[in-house]
Amino acid sequence: MDAPSERTRVKRMNKRAAYDAETVHGILDAMPICNVGYVFDGAPYVTPTLQWREGDHVYWHGSSASRMLEACTEAEVCLTVSIIDGFVMARSAYNHSCNYRSVMVMGTAHKVTDAAEKEMRLKNFTEGLWPGRWDMLRKMTAQELKATTVLKLSLAEASAKVRTGAPGDDEADYALPIWAGVIPVRMEVLKPVDDPRLITGLTPPAHITDFKIG
Amino acid sequence: MDAPSERTRVKRMNKRAAYDAETVHGILDAMPICNVGYVFDGAPYVTPTLQWREGDHVYWHGSSASRMLEACTEAEVCLTVSIIDGFVMARSAYNHSCNYRSVMVMGTAHKVTDAAEKEMRLKNFTEGLWPGRWDMLRKMTAQELKATTVLKLSLAEASAKVRTGAPGDDEADYALPIWAGVIPVRMEVLKPVDDPRLITGLTPPAHITDFKIG
């Protein structure tokens, strides 16, 4: 499958590139943490936030007072998700690498303006990470909804880049007595910690104890 | 301590902001994974890579053929490091948050042009993550050094933002029978995996088995 546009074409190590929806969606769905790039007063900014995917769009949200969200509205953005799977330890410094799965989405971000749609998107975000939580929560107020901005970005210009497996050393280097291999890493989810003000006797529901990421 | 420049001043939730070297250095030193933002043909790009700090500069590197490194050279960039420490689960959707430690560095990136300095920087990067590894490796060749670009960025315009602790719920919501608290997350380092072509009998050195991140 070819790149959807010239600027999304992976230039370096293009054997690691993929543009199919299955690969792109799989990475976006595995990792809500993303970094959004935008231009403000001519300079680039990168802000970490959480994204979620619905169909062929990614969404992110925040306070309506956020400079990032304001600067991204109706503007060119780049949303990048990267999952680091391991450090690739080769026999030469030069051949060290990382194993990773990353997605870069470029395009113009738009505000979700309809209040009912905005609330539905926020519900889908919450339910995607913690199924069943939305209906357990204190209901969102009209004022809270107004104070929240949701942005959407089409996946039309998305590219993925993936590296897996062992180091790729120079052929002659394989004979050297140097340890080589991969140090795998992953996002670990630890035991939930009760709020100190939690009502006595409440225990975390399944969407908390079963939470996984990455 | 005040922000070093207007554009680095944290605007939203500024009680979470810090500009002191101890906080900024601590976060940069804890997490090599970063995202570099730059402008190319007027559009923002965000590329994940690894950074390391020496004194009051951050460095990153890659292939001299990299479009990212070329676009960043003598250009305005934004380098962001973020460590996600937990998902903050409140009693309302609106008060959900993340615990995190993040640093944003803005400024003009410069190429390390002197070959000896470039090699020293790459050595310091390697040794910072895996002490003792550099001297165990097959020596870097002049051609490899030439094919590698190292960029540096001053920390003069750096800001940190940190959130820790329990949810901040609306006072009335604390009485609700809804589980609230924090789901902590961290980068987990797993057991190293030998290269399938490893020389028989070689075992991973301490810098591999002791590797920690985050």
Side-chain angles (χ1 to χ4, degrees), chain B residues 31-51:
Chain B
M31 178 50 71
I33 301 163
C34 71
N35 279 271
V36 176
Y38 55 99
V39 180
F40 183 76
D41 274 353
Y45 286 75
V46 177
T47 303
T49 189
L50 302 183
Q51 60 79 29

Side-chain angles (χ1 to χ4, degrees), chain A residues 32-82:
Chain A
I33 300 163
C34 70
N35 279 272
V36 176
Y38 55 98
V39 180
F40 184 75
D41 274 352
Y45 286 75
V46 177
T47 302
T49 189
L50 302 183
Q51 60 80 28
W52 70 102
R53 182 186 68 84
E54 298 188 45
D56 52 6
H57 284 81
V58 278
Y59 296 83
W60 67 105
H61 84 297
S63 161
S64 299
S66 152
R67 180 178 61 179
M68 181 269 275
L69 294 175
E70 196 178 311
C72 288
T73 300
E74 301 302 325
E76 282 291 302
V77 302
C78 176
L79 185 149
T80 296
V81 168
S82 52

Side-chain angles (χ1 to χ4, degrees), chain A residues 57-175:
Chain A
H57 284 81
V58 278
Y59 296 83
W60 67 105
H61 84 297
S63 161
S64 299
S66 152
R67 180 178 61 179
M68 181 269 275
L69 294 175
E70 196 178 311
C72 288
T73 300
E74 301 302 325
E76 282 291 302
V77 302
C78 176
L79 185 149
T80 296
V81 168
S82 52
I83 306 170
I84 307 297
D85 291 318
F87 292 86
V88 179
M89 312 301 294
R91 293 156 182 88
S92 63
Y94 189 74
N95 285 320
H96 278 63
S97 186
C98 280
N99 283 336
Y100 59 87
R101 290 165 282 159
S102 70
V103 163
M104 183 185 279
V105 189
M106 303 196 65
T108 304
H110 302 287
K111 219 176 253 191
V112 174
T113 49
D114 179 76
E117 185 193 344
K118 187 158 74 170
E119 185 162 10
M120 181 187 73
R121 299 297 173 207
L122 293 169
K123 177 177 176 175
N124 291 342
F125 166 50
T126 307
E127 289 292 300
L129 288 173
W130 304 288
R133 187 157 187 85
W134 185 266
D135 288 336
M136 289 186 187
L137 295 172
R138 188 264 290 152
K139 224 172 137 52
M140 195 163 201
T141 67
Q143 195 182 337
E144 287 174 341
L145 195 58
K146 202 176 161 184
T148 304
T149 290
V150 175
L151 292 184
K152 68 186 286 185
L153 175 63
S154 165
L155 293 176
E157 286 193 78
S159 62
K161 207 170 172 184
V162 175
R163 191 203 187 281
T164 58
D169 267 307
D170 292 6
E171 200 48 46
D173 292 345
Y174 282 97

